[in-house]
Amino acid sequence: MADSGTVAVLLPGAYYFIRETQAPPVDLLRRYKVPIAVATDCNPGTSPLSSLLLAMNMAATLFRLTVEECLAGVTREAARALGQLSEVGTLEPGKWCNLAIWDIEDPAELVYHIGFNPLCTRVWRGR
């Protein structure tokens, strides 16, 4: 998968909602350096999850992703999965972004708390 440029996209909301019992092979993905994205897959049939914060929490608790893997999974690796890493996904000159500015002391708070939304300010389309 890594050699072909494939990104594994984990969908913890769907895993939970359809009561899947076989977890994704996260250890193998790590071992072979396959990029891992995390998404809500919000849809009425298999994943009515719309909270990206909850998706990160579920990815950490259900799949044992680290905080760093969760944050990269919803930013850089999500952009890579969509084929848009050259335009978005990381903070670099020449890329555009929307920003969520969180009132937290440690990035782990974004993954740890359930039902917590520490959004302080957001920048949407430069405003």
Side-chain angles (χ1 to χ4, degrees):
M1 289 177 71
D3 290 344
S4 70
T6 301
V7 177
V9 181
L10 303 185
L11 307 171
Y15 176 89
Y16 171 82
F17 193 74
I18 66 170
R19 297 181 179 171
E20 178 60 64
T21 58
Q22 183 174 344
V26 172
D27 288 337
L28 282 174
L29 297 172
R30 286 179 182 134
R31 183 180 316 145
Y32 292 101
K33 300 186 184 337
V34 175
I36 301 171
V38 175
T40 65
D41 188 33
C42 185
N43 75 77
T46 60
S47 183
L49 174 64
S50 60
S51 168
L52 198 55
L53 290 174
L54 183 53
M56 288 193 297
N57 172 275
M58 294 172 85
T61 57
L62 297 173
F63 305 148
R64 304 291 187 230
L65 263 62
T66 66
V67 171
E68 292 78 14
E69 288 171 327
C70 288
L71 291 170
V74 300
T75 56
R76 181 185 66 232
E77 304 310 339
R80 187 186 315 275
L82 294 170
Q84 296 183 348
L85 187 56
S86 63
E87 294 92 35
V88 298
T90 59
L91 295 175
E92 297 178 64
K95 291 187 175 184
W96 69 270
C97 67
N98 299 317
L99 295 174
I101 301 171
W102 307 104
D103 183 15
I104 59 172
E105 293 190 21
D106 188 286
E109 293 179 53
L110 295 174
V111 176
Y112 174 74
H113 291 284
I114 298 173
F116 175 64
N117 188 350
L119 184 65
C120 178
T121 304
R122 73 178 185 139
V123 177
W124 181 257
R125 297 184 180 174
R127 299 178 187 180

